Amino acid sequence: MIQNDRHAPETFPNSTPITAERFKGAILAPGIVHLTYETRIGDRHARRSSIWRRDAAGELRLYYHQATPVPDETARP
């Protein structure tokens, strides 16, 4: 399992900063990785899950992604 606690917020002109944290990765099979993490965009919080797979050129490509909004009362500190 791969873990990373926090990624620095990305900021673009005229946009709300995005914070991504609590990264966890698991290898499902050769060339296939499941990544989970959480994001905060302003007052919105979401849990995210994506599946990445290696293509014929050896590059990892996003195959599937899902985001689930988290109500404020269930958000982790």
Side-chain angles (χ1 to χ4, degrees), residues 26-40:
I27 298 171
L28 301 178
I32 300 176
V33 177
H34 179 226
L35 178 68
T36 59
Y37 60 102
E38 297 183 23
T39 58
R40 292 189 185 276

Side-chain angles (χ1 to χ4, degrees), residues 8 23 31 37 72:
F23 286 86
Y37 60 102
D72 288 338

Side-chain angles (χ1 to χ4, degrees), residues 1-6 22-26 35-36:
M1 180 181 294
I2 304 162
Q3 284 190 272
N4 184 349
D5 289 336
R6 192 169 182 85
R22 293 188 173 94
F23 286 86
K24 293 181 183 176
L35 178 68
T36 59

Side-chain angles (χ1 to χ4, degrees), residues 25-64:
I27 298 171
L28 301 178
I32 300 176
V33 177
H34 179 226
L35 178 68
T36 59
Y37 60 102
E38 297 183 23
T39 58
R40 292 189 185 276
I41 305 169
D43 62 349
R44 298 178 314 192
H45 177 222
R47 292 192 179 108
R48 299 179 179 270
S49 176
S50 59
I51 295 177
W52 294 77
R53 68 179 180 181
R54 197 167 301 281
D55 65 14
E59 300 291 323
L60 281 173
R61 302 286 180 185
L62 181 63
Y63 179 73
Y64 174 81

